[in-house]
Amino acid sequence: MAADDPRDLERFLNAQDGVIEAARRELRSERKRGHRMRFVFPQVEGVGSGRTSRRYAIGSREEAAAYLAHPTLGPQLRECTAIGNGTDGRTAREVSGAPDALNFRSWMTLFDAVADGSEAFGAALDRYYDERDEGTLRFLREE
């Protein structure tokens, strides 16, 4: 971890390099093909149990805020969220794929909690779910 990157956000940049366009295509289509969403939309530690989920887990509210404020990661996150919000008539499962439909709620809950309230994350939650992800909210309360 570099001194100028104490939260190791570089891991997300490296993971997204060369695949962010594929992630955008997957969000627009109904054919999710991989686990790219876990490093485009990271979730809090302890929610995912797989190796990829653990590698790209967010460890604190501050790390989530740093991700959102990052000059590349933040705009890409907002863009991908807007794509997901712009898919008329589709469910969260159709947007993010079967295993990630619940994760999508966790992702949006995390970034809605650290954003200033004017973001599309809350809109995604309102559109696709009846409530925020309790596991993510508990993590944020307890950390």
Side-chain angles (χ1 to χ4, degrees):
M1 202 171 331
D4 63 340
D5 185 15
R7 292 180 176 84
D8 192 21
L9 296 178
E10 188 76 22
R11 74 189 189 274
F12 296 105
L13 291 170
N14 291 335
Q16 290 180 23
D17 187 39
V19 298
I20 191 69
E21 189 52 44
R24 290 177 184 119
R25 280 193 304 273
E26 286 182 11
L27 285 164
R28 287 184 187 107
S29 75
E30 291 185 24
R31 286 178 244 116
K32 184 175 172 295
R33 293 187 178 92
H35 295 289
R36 290 184 260 282
M37 298 309 165
R38 294 214 170 76
F39 48 79
V40 174
F41 297 111
Q43 60 194 28
V44 298
E45 287 179 346
V47 174
S49 60
R51 190 170 121 167
T52 302
S53 292
R54 287 190 311 269
R55 168 85 174 119
Y56 299 104
I58 295 289
S60 67
R61 177 184 293 274
E62 290 76 23
E63 185 176 1
Y67 187 102
L68 193 57
H70 190 278
T72 301
L73 298 171
Q76 287 178 172
L77 176 67
R78 289 177 179 94
E79 178 188 13
C80 287
T81 302
I83 292 169
N85 285 346
T87 55
D88 289 336
R90 292 178 48 206
T91 65
R93 183 182 176 135
E94 291 168 332
V95 171
S96 61
D100 281 334
L102 293 176
N103 291 334
F104 189 78
R105 184 172 70 159
S106 174
W107 304 328
M108 295 298 107
T109 299
L110 172 62
F111 289 104
D112 183 53
V114 300
D116 66 8
S118 64
E119 302 282 354
F121 313 117
L125 288 162
D126 294 342
R127 176 184 177 139
Y128 295 114
Y129 303 99
D130 293 332
E131 57 190 16
R132 286 9 186 193
D133 180 66
E134 185 53 41
T136 300
L137 294 174
R138 187 177 327 102
F139 173 89
L140 293 168
R141 282 191 305 268
E142 293 173 358
E143 62 112 12

